[in-house]
mmCIF file of all heavy atoms in Angstrom:
data_model
loop_
_atom_site.group_PDB
_atom_site.id
_atom_site.type_symbol
_atom_site.label_atom_id
_atom_site.label_comp_id
_atom_site.label_asym_id
_atom_site.label_seq_id
_atom_site.Cartn_x
_atom_site.Cartn_y
_atom_site.Cartn_z
ATOM 1 N N GLU A 524 -132.980 -174.381 -4.586
ATOM 2 C CA GLU A 524 -133.378 -175.210 -3.437
ATOM 3 C C GLU A 524 -134.164 -176.430 -3.891
ATOM 4 O O GLU A 524 -133.915 -177.541 -3.445
ATOM 5 C CB GLU A 524 -134.212 -174.377 -2.465
ATOM 6 C CG GLU A 524 -134.608 -175.136 -1.214
ATOM 7 C CD GLU A 524 -135.463 -174.312 -0.274
ATOM 8 O OE1 GLU A 524 -136.160 -173.388 -0.728
ATOM 9 O OE2 GLU A 524 -135.436 -174.617 0.926
ATOM 10 N N TYR A 525 -135.107 -176.234 -4.815
ATOM 11 C CA TYR A 525 -135.912 -177.346 -5.309
ATOM 12 C C TYR A 525 -135.041 -178.342 -6.070
ATOM 13 O O TYR A 525 -135.156 -179.549 -5.884
ATOM 14 C CB TYR A 525 -137.022 -176.854 -6.242
ATOM 15 C CG TYR A 525 -137.992 -175.851 -5.660
ATOM 16 C CD1 TYR A 525 -138.844 -175.154 -6.496
ATOM 17 C CD2 TYR A 525 -138.059 -175.589 -4.296
ATOM 18 C CE1 TYR A 525 -139.746 -174.224 -5.980
ATOM 19 C CE2 TYR A 525 -138.952 -174.670 -3.779
ATOM 20 C CZ TYR A 525 -139.792 -173.988 -4.621
ATOM 21 O OH TYR A 525 -140.683 -173.087 -4.128
ATOM 22 N N SER A 526 -134.170 -177.817 -6.933
ATOM 23 C CA SER A 526 -133.292 -178.681 -7.736
ATOM 24 C C SER A 526 -132.357 -179.496 -6.858
ATOM 25 O O SER A 526 -132.145 -180.691 -7.092
ATOM 26 C CB SER A 526 -132.477 -177.849 -8.721
ATOM 27 O OG SER A 526 -133.325 -177.144 -9.581
ATOM 28 N N GLN A 527 -131.797 -178.855 -5.843
ATOM 29 C CA GLN A 527 -130.871 -179.565 -4.960
ATOM 30 C C GLN A 527 -131.581 -180.649 -4.156
ATOM 31 O O GLN A 527 -131.061 -181.750 -3.988
ATOM 32 C CB GLN A 527 -130.169 -178.588 -4.024
ATOM 33 C CG GLN A 527 -129.121 -177.743 -4.721
ATOM 34 C CD GLN A 527 -128.463 -176.742 -3.793
ATOM 35 O OE1 GLN A 527 -128.964 -176.430 -2.715
ATOM 36 N NE2 GLN A 527 -127.338 -176.205 -4.224
ATOM 37 N N ALA A 528 -132.778 -180.335 -3.660
ATOM 38 C CA ALA A 528 -133.528 -181.328 -2.889
ATOM 39 C C ALA A 528 -133.871 -182.528 -3.766
ATOM 40 O O ALA A 528 -133.738 -183.683 -3.347
ATOM 41 C CB ALA A 528 -134.796 -180.707 -2.303
ATOM 42 N N TYR A 529 -134.302 -182.252 -4.993
ATOM 43 C CA TYR A 529 -134.628 -183.335 -5.913
ATOM 44 C C TYR A 529 -133.372 -184.157 -6.235
ATOM 45 O O TYR A 529 -133.401 -185.387 -6.231
ATOM 46 C CB TYR A 529 -135.255 -182.780 -7.190
ATOM 47 C CG TYR A 529 -135.571 -183.835 -8.220
ATOM 48 C CD1 TYR A 529 -136.427 -184.894 -7.921
ATOM 49 C CD2 TYR A 529 -135.007 -183.792 -9.488
ATOM 50 C CE1 TYR A 529 -136.705 -185.871 -8.855
ATOM 51 C CE2 TYR A 529 -135.285 -184.767 -10.425
ATOM 52 C CZ TYR A 529 -136.127 -185.803 -10.105
ATOM 53 O OH TYR A 529 -136.398 -186.775 -11.035
ATOM 54 N N GLY A 530 -132.265 -183.483 -6.471
ATOM 55 C CA GLY A 530 -131.009 -184.176 -6.751
ATOM 56 C C GLY A 530 -130.566 -185.059 -5.601
ATOM 57 O O GLY A 530 -130.109 -186.192 -5.811
ATOM 58 N N ARG A 531 -130.740 -184.575 -4.381
ATOM 59 C CA ARG A 531 -130.348 -185.377 -3.206
ATOM 60 C C ARG A 531 -131.189 -186.645 -3.092
ATOM 61 O O ARG A 531 -130.668 -187.712 -2.804
ATOM 62 C CB ARG A 531 -130.474 -184.551 -1.924
ATOM 63 C CG ARG A 531 -129.304 -183.619 -1.684
ATOM 64 C CD ARG A 531 -129.300 -183.058 -0.274
ATOM 65 N NE ARG A 531 -130.492 -182.302 0.033
ATOM 66 C CZ ARG A 531 -130.640 -180.996 -0.159
ATOM 67 N NH1 ARG A 531 -129.654 -180.300 -0.685
ATOM 68 N NH2 ARG A 531 -131.763 -180.387 0.156
ATOM 69 N N ILE A 532 -132.476 -186.523 -3.337
ATOM 70 C CA ILE A 532 -133.328 -187.716 -3.197
ATOM 71 C C ILE A 532 -133.066 -188.706 -4.328
ATOM 72 O O ILE A 532 -133.136 -189.910 -4.133
ATOM 73 C CB ILE A 532 -134.824 -187.344 -3.067
ATOM 74 C CG1 ILE A 532 -135.547 -188.466 -2.324
ATOM 75 C CG2 ILE A 532 -135.482 -187.070 -4.387
ATOM 76 C CD1 ILE A 532 -136.824 -188.054 -1.665
ATOM 77 N N ILE A 533 -132.729 -188.221 -5.509
ATOM 78 C CA ILE A 533 -132.357 -189.111 -6.618
ATOM 79 C C ILE A 533 -131.073 -189.855 -6.259
ATOM 80 O O ILE A 533 -130.962 -191.066 -6.469
ATOM 81 C CB ILE A 533 -132.178 -188.314 -7.935
ATOM 82 C CG1 ILE A 533 -133.524 -187.786 -8.420
ATOM 83 C CG2 ILE A 533 -131.498 -189.140 -9.003
ATOM 84 C CD1 ILE A 533 -134.515 -188.855 -8.791
ATOM 85 N N ASN A 534 -130.096 -189.139 -5.695
ATOM 86 C CA ASN A 534 -128.843 -189.772 -5.296
ATOM 87 C C ASN A 534 -129.071 -190.816 -4.205
ATOM 88 O O ASN A 534 -128.430 -191.860 -4.197
ATOM 89 C CB ASN A 534 -127.839 -188.727 -4.807
ATOM 90 C CG ASN A 534 -127.285 -187.911 -5.944
ATOM 91 O OD1 ASN A 534 -127.312 -188.324 -7.105
ATOM 92 N ND2 ASN A 534 -126.794 -186.723 -5.639
ATOM 93 N N MET A 535 -129.998 -190.535 -3.286
ATOM 94 C CA MET A 535 -130.314 -191.518 -2.250
ATOM 95 C C MET A 535 -130.852 -192.792 -2.874
ATOM 96 O O MET A 535 -130.492 -193.890 -2.467
ATOM 97 C CB MET A 535 -131.357 -190.953 -1.279
ATOM 98 C CG MET A 535 -130.817 -189.974 -0.285
ATOM 99 S SD MET A 535 -132.125 -189.292 0.763
ATOM 100 C CE MET A 535 -132.954 -190.745 1.328
#
Side-chain angles (χ1 to χ4, degrees):
E524 183 181 26
Y525 302 167
S526 300
Q527 287 178 343
Y529 178 58
R531 280 193 300 270
I532 205 158
I533 291 296
N534 287 339
M535 283 177 51

